[in-house]
Each structure stands twice: as C-alpha cells, then as structure tokens.
Amino acid sequence: MKDQSILPEENIILESGCLSKEDVIACAVGLVLRNCSEMEKEKLEQEIWERERLAYTGIGSHIALVHAESVTVHCPVTACIRLKEYVDWAPGKAYPPQHRMVKLVFVFAVPKEECPETETLKDMVRRLGKKETVERLMHAKQSREIMGIFQ
C-alpha cells in the first residue's frame, strides 16, 4: 500500500456510529487499507490488537491513539474517527472518564522500518497534546478542517 498523504480526506469520519472499541478499530483498518485484500486487513487488525494488549492507548481529553508497526504498509497512513457517542476504551478499568471514555480516535499504521514521514507523525502526536488542537478537532464540521489542523 502506498499513499501520498498520511491523513487523506477519505480516512476521516466525523460522526461515526461505532459503538465499541472493536467496531472503531475494524472501521479504521478498513479506511487505512481500503484498497487492500481482506488478508492484509486482518493482518493489520491483528497487529493493532497485539499493540493494544501491550499498553493502553487512551491519552486523555477523550482521545485514543491506536497504532501498529505493520508489514502491510510501506509508508505511514492514518485514520481519524470522531464518534457520535463516547466509547468505553477500557471497560472495567478504573481510569478517569477523560482517559477511558473516548470520542476521537487516531489510528496510525506505520511500516516496520523508519521512513521520512516519521517526523510528520511525531508532529501530529505533539499537536494532539494541546488543548486548543483538541477543541478544534472536536468541533470541526468538515474533514478538510481536520486536515488543516495538521498542515
């Protein structure tokens, strides 16, 4: 898979009806690997769940950063899914609500080997730690607004 943009407009959903973490991850995999085989999609989903088992991906401010190093991608690709309703990202865990209840999910699929776009991804993650960025993301009306935040 090769894509010119790390976060293409078609990989942004602003009002997703996903109701669980499983639904969100499956949806995101479908976005980032939209032109790939079912086998490649299954592989990426497996890699994401392996990473999820290692560490919690809720970062606060009702955001989750899901990521995996993957053999299915040759350059980094991202999906952004803003949910209509909050999803419990860690059912049964005692995390504070702003960490556990997620409304905005970024999924990063990155190749196993280092690439030039890595700095762009790091910049995206740094921006997600800023309150004003989160506010803009939560209230964006169009996917182009989301893209503009990271340009």
Side-chain angles (χ1 to χ4, degrees):
M1 187 199 116
K2 212 163 192 174
D3 194 303
Q4 296 298 327
S5 173
I6 290 174
L7 181 58
E9 188 171 6
E10 62 269 14
N11 286 9
I12 300 170
I13 298 177
L14 294 180
E15 295 299 320
S16 170
C18 292
L19 298 174
S20 69
K21 184 176 183 175
E22 292 78 11
D23 289 346
V24 173
I25 289 174
C27 177
V29 167
L31 291 173
V32 298
L33 296 182
R34 98 176 48 248
N35 297 319
C36 295
S37 71
E38 287 304 311
M39 191 169 73
E40 289 171 306
K41 291 175 185 176
E42 288 173 17
K43 178 65 176 162
L44 177 58
E45 193 164 339
Q46 177 186 6
E47 291 165 334
I48 287 172
W49 283 110
E50 286 171 11
R51 176 64 184 87
E52 286 292 304
R53 281 188 282 282
L54 293 175
Y56 182 64
T57 55
I59 64 165
S61 300
H62 303 288
I63 297 175
L65 296 182
V66 177
H67 56 286
E69 286 186 348
S70 179
V71 297
T72 60
V73 296
H74 303 291
C75 62
V77 65
T78 302
C80 171
I81 300 172
R82 191 174 66 202
L83 303 161
K84 288 180 187 176
E85 303 293 329
Y86 289 94
V87 167
D88 191 340
W89 212 248
K93 303 286 184 182
Y95 296 119
Q98 70 271 19
H99 289 276
R100 197 180 87 233
M101 300 307 291
V102 168
K103 184 133 182 156
L104 184 65
V105 180
F106 281 85
V107 176
F108 299 95
V110 298
K112 295 263 185 198
E113 58 281 340
E114 196 70 22
C115 59
E117 296 90 350
T118 302
E119 284 307 312
T120 303
L121 291 174
K122 289 178 184 176
D123 182 57
M124 285 179 78
V125 172
R126 279 191 291 273
R127 290 180 189 208
L128 288 168
K130 296 180 180 177
K131 186 177 181 176
E132 59 275 5
T133 300
V134 173
E135 285 295 317
R136 289 177 64 198
L137 292 167
M138 291 294 193
H139 295 98
K141 303 263 188 261
Q142 299 178 351
S143 54
R144 289 215 171 265
E145 289 177 64
I146 301 281
M147 293 170 66
I149 291 168
F150 296 106
Q151 293 177 342

